[in-house]
Amino acid sequence: MKYVDEFRDGKLARGLAAAIATEAAPACRYSFMEFCGGHTHAISRYGVTDLLPANVRMVHGPGCPVCVLPIGRVDMAIELALEHGVILCTYGDCLRVPASDGLSLMKAKARGGDVRMVYSSADALKIAQDNPGRQVVFFAIGFETTTPPTAVVIRQAAALGLENFSVLCCHVLTPSAISNILESPGVRELGTVPLDGFIGPAHVSTVIGYAPYEFFAEEFRKPVVIAGFEPLDVMQAILMLVRQVNQGRAEVENEFSRAVSRDGNLKAQNLVSEIFELRREFEWRGLGLVPYSALKIRREYARFDAETRFPLGYRSVADNKACECGAILRGVKRPQDCKLFGTVCTPENPIGSCMVSSEGACAAHYTYGRYKDAR
Amino acid sequence: MCLAIPARVAEILEGDQAIVDLGGVRKDVSLALLDDVNIGDYVIVHVGYALQKLDPEEAEKTLALFAEMGTQV
Amino acid sequence: MTKVRENYVRPLDLKQGRVDMTHGSGGRAMAQLIEELFAKHLDNEFLRQGNDGSVLPPLTLGGRLVMSCDGHVVSPLFFPGGDIGCLSVHGTVNDVAVMGAKPLYLAASFILEEGLPLADLAKIVESMAKAAKEAGVAVVTGDTKVVEAGKADGVFISTTGVGVLPDGVALSGDRARPGDVILLSGTIGDHGMAIMAQRESLGFSAPIVSDTAALHGLIEAMLATGADIRCLRDPTRGGLATTLNEIARQSGVGMMLDEAAIPVNPEVAAACEFLGLDPLYVANEGKLIAIVAEGDADKVLAAMRTHPQGARAVRIGRVHEDAHHFVQMTTGFGGRRIVDWLTGEQLPRIC
């Protein structure tokens, strides 16, 4: 696979590992957060941390749309499927997310809900066209990468005059969540670890560019490197962060120059702003209410908004009190510091958000890395 | 978070659609989010949509940089 | 004056006909389906007895009986490399064969959905007959039921296999010991991805062919070496990862795999990339894992490679002592990770 396999080369990895080991000052400790679950997954799946010196620590951030999706939003989707009799379409990732009353979308399906997994937003639109007598709702999750495809189908539905298609919009925004990690009230309560830099998700930046991080780097004096998701990309980004720290710089650098520019994909951005506007606040599982961190469908397109079309109320559902996800998402604690981890909270039976998807910090550590804790 | 993969545009179809190829596997994707895509271009594909074109020169530069890092040590 | 043909029965319409409720009613229609379709293709001396069960000959060479059953549901019914018919033979033959036994007989139970084209059913039964013949097993008894449209997915086939285990052969998942070598007979993930590629909703096409095959021949060649083979298993649902975890738990050991050694066809790897799946968890229907005493590993590997189904056989790792029974892997990238049990179902991911 061109542009994939070359970026997984073990020999080049050893070279980069040696460069990181040489440049990381022995007297310093470096803590970097990879914001995105895709990076967490790559780090765990390829064993990247085994190639890093002991004084470089990776902290797993909250960038997994499934993990941060609050239970109350999944409850809404289940209500649509079970009580309003809609065809509820969603990405495979959402099916297993535990909701209230021991339910999940998969379990709602077993109770007779018409829940269908789609690979693309376009599939949901097609289902609506094929079933004119049924209401079809697309349960849309994801960050800036996944939002434009949702915008495309809303505009297509408008062009087609579809009366039976709507979207339950749960799209969230990356830069506001990263800021929240450093300055939210939660951080004051939980304390904070000194994060020395951030790895930013390349796929988000293919759409939004890297400019949105410039304010962040300057305001918080933290270096940011936008990096691809292959393991060599991650290693290179770590090396670039180590150098910025050593040189006292706090800039935005772009490791994924092969598809990320400063401005990103303007066509996609314009489409998104035509269809969506900022929500005043949105609940993130594990982070709580984060101001201006999500999108909702504009009034002009309200007839495609499932929250307008159906009588749905949002009810916030608290996480288990012993759950440490809030602290883990901010890097204050590690998964293995939580007493639920690996005991009652496992990928088969997730209690907290970080265990929900294989990209969550806890699930990744449980699935790929728990040999490190074994004695 | 967002699973995306570079694939080569093999065919351009009507209605902003294309077929991309990744290691012999062909997939329908939408080009609705990009302009000026040509056969042979590599695009980053996410949930069935091409999000961005991949710049082969920049990819080569990045790979060369990886190799250079390793030899400096 | 035309002559009236007595007891004339119109033959089954194998071109346009469909399964209907009468085919499961126990009456003439059912007898006709059995006669013109099942008995015709699967014919053997035991089925010909025409009784409710078959009387089988005594085991003259000693040994013990091994019995295994497997239900087969697959959508679509026909896929590149096979169909539910041959799959239902291979699946059960393999379950008997990995015990070290020689498969001899099969029983088959069909649940047919009203509306299934008889032409499809005929193709499936022919494919079953061909697979059984190739595997040297006879389908000695069977059953057919019909359920209303919407209550099944075309056809479900349960098969039960009986084989004879020679004295002295004892393969079991609890016999893996530290130091043993783990062998794999070929590429992984082919069956699961061949099926996935057929799902219209995923909108992709790939030249991937299911690996469905009977493994008894390969196993015979391996056992003939006289090597100390501890355990054989076919990594079907849940893939290589799940099967190795089962063995690790049964034997109370750990394992260390070498990712670079595990063969994956490039198209399977690419399809997995598109869907966010890991080939280690994707189903196989014609591959086996062997846990072999260290000193005998080369001998068994050589024997595997002489057989067409083991041509790409490789050594993929070792068994070691581990109280946690972890299956771990050195990644091609140079790191280390756990290869855990499959959580839930393998679903295409977007993130």
Side-chain angles (χ1 to χ4, degrees):
Chain A
M1 289 171 280
K2 196 163 166 53
Y3 301 123
V4 176
D5 296 330
E6 306 96 298
F7 291 86
R8 295 177 183 172
D9 183 278
K11 216 168 87 200
L12 290 177
R14 285 193 291 280
L16 280 173
I20 294 170
T22 308
E23 300 204 17
C28 283
R29 293 191 59 80
Y30 302 83
S31 289
F32 301 129
M33 174 177 277
E34 87 278 3
F35 173 79
C36 171
H39 284 136
T40 306
H41 192 84
I43 288 170
S44 312
R45 180 171 170 181
Y46 296 97
V48 169
T49 42
D50 291 337
L51 293 149
L52 299 177
N55 58 337
V56 175
R57 183 189 153 202
M58 299 309 295
V59 176
H60 312 313
C64 159
V66 178
C67 299
V68 299
L69 185 67
I71 293 172
R73 300 296 290 186
V74 189
D75 287 347
M76 288 164 85
I78 290 173
E79 188 184 325
L80 282 168
L82 290 183
E83 284 166 39
H84 298 282
V86 312
I87 299 176
L88 197 281
C89 302
T90 193
Y91 295 124
D93 313 54
C94 297
L95 292 178
R96 290 181 47 241
V97 181
S100 300
D101 307 322
L103 281 176
S104 63
L105 281 166
M106 199 172 261
K107 287 179 178 156
K109 181 167 182 265
R111 290 194 182 187
D114 194 345
V115 176
R116 304 192 192 178
M117 186 194 75
V118 293
Y119 180 80
S120 165
S121 58
D123 302 338
L125 191 76
K126 171 130 201 325
I127 289 172
Q129 286 176 287
D130 293 345
N131 295 274
R134 301 275 308 275
Q135 284 292 324
V136 175
V137 178
F138 177 49
F139 182 39
I141 64 147
F143 286 90
E144 291 90 337
T145 327
T146 321
T147 311
T150 306
V152 169
V153 289
I154 290 178
R155 204 169 62 175
Q156 283 173 346
L160 293 164
L162 277 189
E163 295 292 326
N164 66 329
F165 178 77
S166 58
V167 171
L168 179 56
C169 175
C170 302
H171 287 301
V172 287
L173 302 171
T174 306
S176 48
I178 298 192
S179 304
N180 177 270
I181 288 164
L182 290 175
E183 66 170 0
S184 69
V187 171
R188 285 198 288 276
E189 278 164 37
L190 294 162
T192 178
V193 286
L195 287 173
D196 302 304
F198 287 85
I199 295 184
H203 294 153
V204 163
S205 284
T206 58
V207 175
I208 67 170
Y210 63 79
Y213 297 97
E214 287 170 351
F215 164 80
F216 172 86
E218 198 175 319
E219 178 75 14
F220 294 97
R221 299 292 308 147
K222 301 284 181 196
V224 177
V225 174
I226 309 298
F229 290 87
E230 298 305 337
L232 284 179
D233 291 318
V234 178
M235 300 272 300
Q236 172 70 10
I238 293 169
L239 180 61
M240 290 162 84
L241 285 172
V242 167
R243 284 183 175 171
Q244 284 208 42
V245 171
N246 288 352
Q247 295 164 2
R249 290 184 290 130
E251 295 163 12
V252 179
E253 291 181 303
N254 180 18
E255 186 277 336
F256 203 69
S257 56
R258 58 190 188 271
V260 165
S261 61
R262 185 173 183 277
D263 296 328
N265 181 339
L266 294 175
K267 187 178 184 186
Q269 290 171 31
N270 290 337
L271 183 62
V272 167
S273 57
E274 180 195 326
I275 309 284
F276 300 103
E277 62 187 3
L278 278 176
R279 280 185 201 263
R280 188 178 289 277
E281 60 183 15
F282 192 75
E283 189 184 353
W284 290 52
R285 213 177 157 188
L287 293 181
L289 285 173
V290 182
Y292 300 108
S293 64
L295 297 174
K296 66 175 182 188
I297 297 169
R298 283 186 186 278
R299 195 182 304 157
E300 297 90 305
Y301 290 92
R303 64 188 187 284
F304 301 104
D305 187 347
E307 291 177 72
T308 315
R309 180 169 297 193
F310 299 94
L312 286 174
Y314 177 72
R315 193 174 56 91
S316 174
V317 180
D319 265 322
N320 185 304
K321 280 202 182 66
C323 174
E324 299 275 17
C325 282
I328 291 166
L329 288 176
R330 292 177 172 88
V332 180
K333 290 198 171 161
R334 296 172 307 162
Q336 56 272 43
D337 297 332
C338 174
K339 60 176 183 257
L340 302 182
F341 176 79
T343 55
V344 290
C345 185
T346 62
E348 291 291 346
N349 178 42
I351 305 286
S353 67
C354 304
M355 194 61 97
V356 170
S357 132
S358 67
E359 304 200 322
C362 294
H365 184 65
Y366 186 89
T367 307
Y368 298 116
R370 68 187 190 282
Y371 67 89
K372 290 177 189 140
D373 313 331
R375 270 177 293 272
Chain B
M1 95 190 84
C2 318
L3 202 78
I5 195 94
R8 190 179 57 85
V9 177
E11 276 180 53
I12 293 182
L13 312 172
E14 278 178 15
D16 273 345
Q17 289 292 118
I19 294 175
V20 295
D21 177 290
L22 172 73
V25 175
R26 291 159 71 88
K27 166 131 194 46
D28 310 336
V29 302
S30 164
L31 299 178
L33 297 168
L34 279 181
D35 291 321
D36 304 324
V37 176
N38 296 303
I39 290 177
D41 286 348
Y42 277 79
V43 290
I44 308 275
V45 177
H46 172 62
V47 296
Y49 288 79
L51 289 183
Q52 193 55 273
K53 281 200 270 189
L54 186 142
D55 182 336
E57 272 176 40
E58 287 293 333
E60 291 313 319
K61 273 194 223 166
T62 304
L63 283 169
L65 189 67
F66 293 164
E68 190 188 314
M69 290 300 142
T71 54
Q72 279 178 356
V73 189
Chain C
M1 205 173 116
T2 52
K3 191 166 182 270
V4 175
R5 284 184 289 176
E6 265 178 52
N7 297 327
Y8 174 76
V9 180
R10 188 194 294 272
L12 277 181
D13 180 0
L14 290 177
K15 284 208 176 87
Q16 306 291 328
R18 287 173 180 267
V19 169
D20 61 48
M21 297 309 289
T22 63
H23 290 120
S25 65
R28 279 217 182 89
M30 189 173 111
Q32 187 187 18
L33 185 73
I34 291 171
E35 203 170 300
E36 293 182 25
L37 222 159
F38 292 105
K40 179 179 159 203
H41 293 296
L42 300 170
D43 180 57
N44 57 58
E45 56 181 304
F46 307 104
L47 268 189
R48 249 174 270 138
Q49 293 167 5
N51 293 320
D52 280 356
S54 281
V55 179
L56 305 171
L59 298 172
T60 46
L61 296 171
R64 285 169 297 162
L65 290 179
V66 167
M67 192 167 164
S68 180
C69 83
D70 205 345
H72 299 272
V73 298
V74 62
S75 175
L77 297 174
F78 300 91
F79 47 83
D83 54 66
I84 191 171
C86 63
L87 188 69
S88 71
V89 171
H90 297 151
T92 299
V93 162
N94 291 347
D95 284 347
V96 171
V98 293
M99 298 297 297
K102 180 180 168 50
L104 296 176
Y105 309 112
L106 287 182
S109 155
F110 294 80
I111 309 288
L112 308 176
E113 184 184 9
E114 178 188 26
L116 175 74
L118 286 172
D120 285 357
L121 182 60
K123 258 162 73 184
I124 289 165
V125 175
E126 277 172 52
S127 162
M128 231 178 140
K130 185 163 165 274
K133 197 172 165 211
E134 283 168 3
V137 295
V139 179
V140 297
T141 183
D143 180 57
T144 308
K145 295 281 184 318
V146 180
V147 295
E148 284 171 0
K151 295 198 170 164
D153 193 2
V155 51
F156 300 148
I157 307 177
S158 293
T159 47
T160 299
V162 172
V164 61
L165 180 71
D167 292 326
V169 177
L171 306 178
S172 175
D174 61 2
R175 291 190 62 229
R177 293 290 172 270
D180 288 354
V181 171
I182 307 165
L183 306 176
L184 170 67
S185 67
T187 56
I188 58 166
D190 299 270
H191 177 73
M193 292 320 288
I195 298 289
M196 200 80 92
Q198 297 303 306
R199 303 240 163 105
E200 221 176 274
S201 61
L202 296 177
F204 76 97
S205 64
I208 302 175
V209 176
S210 166
D211 59 352
T212 182
L215 293 165
H216 64 289
L218 172 63
I219 293 172
E220 219 172 87
M222 294 165 72
L223 291 173
T225 61
D228 186 359
I229 299 173
R230 318 281 201 190
C231 159
L232 297 175
R233 206 156 278 185
D234 54 336
T236 53
R237 265 175 311 173
L240 179 68
T242 304
T243 305
L244 289 176
N245 272 286
E246 283 166 9
I247 298 171
R249 186 170 68 178
Q250 255 184 297
S251 292
V253 294
M255 295 180 184
M256 182 61 79
L257 310 179
D258 175 11
E259 184 174 31
I262 300 172
V264 183
N265 275 322
E267 293 84 9
V268 170
C272 282
E273 287 294 334
F274 265 130
L275 298 175
L277 302 178
D278 187 339
L280 289 171
Y281 295 92
V282 179
N284 311 280
E285 290 291 347
K287 296 292 154 37
L288 64 81
I289 297 164
I291 312 278
V292 182
E294 190 179 8
D296 283 345
D298 288 335
K299 189 161 69 174
V300 177
L301 193 58
M304 290 171 84
R305 285 178 176 165
T306 58
H307 195 277
Q309 269 150 18
R312 291 187 67 182
V314 280
R315 177 194 287 253
I316 59 163
R318 292 180 77 98
V319 176
H320 60 219
E321 216 165 300
D322 178 4
H324 299 276
H325 314 159
F326 287 149
V327 177
Q328 299 184 53
M329 182 162 85
T330 312
T331 69
F333 195 67
R336 190 148 71 108
R337 62 172 263 205
I338 283 188
V339 176
D340 209 358
W341 293 82
L342 175 63
T343 299
E345 193 189 348
Q346 274 269 78
L347 291 172
R349 295 187 298 128
I350 63 137
C351 60

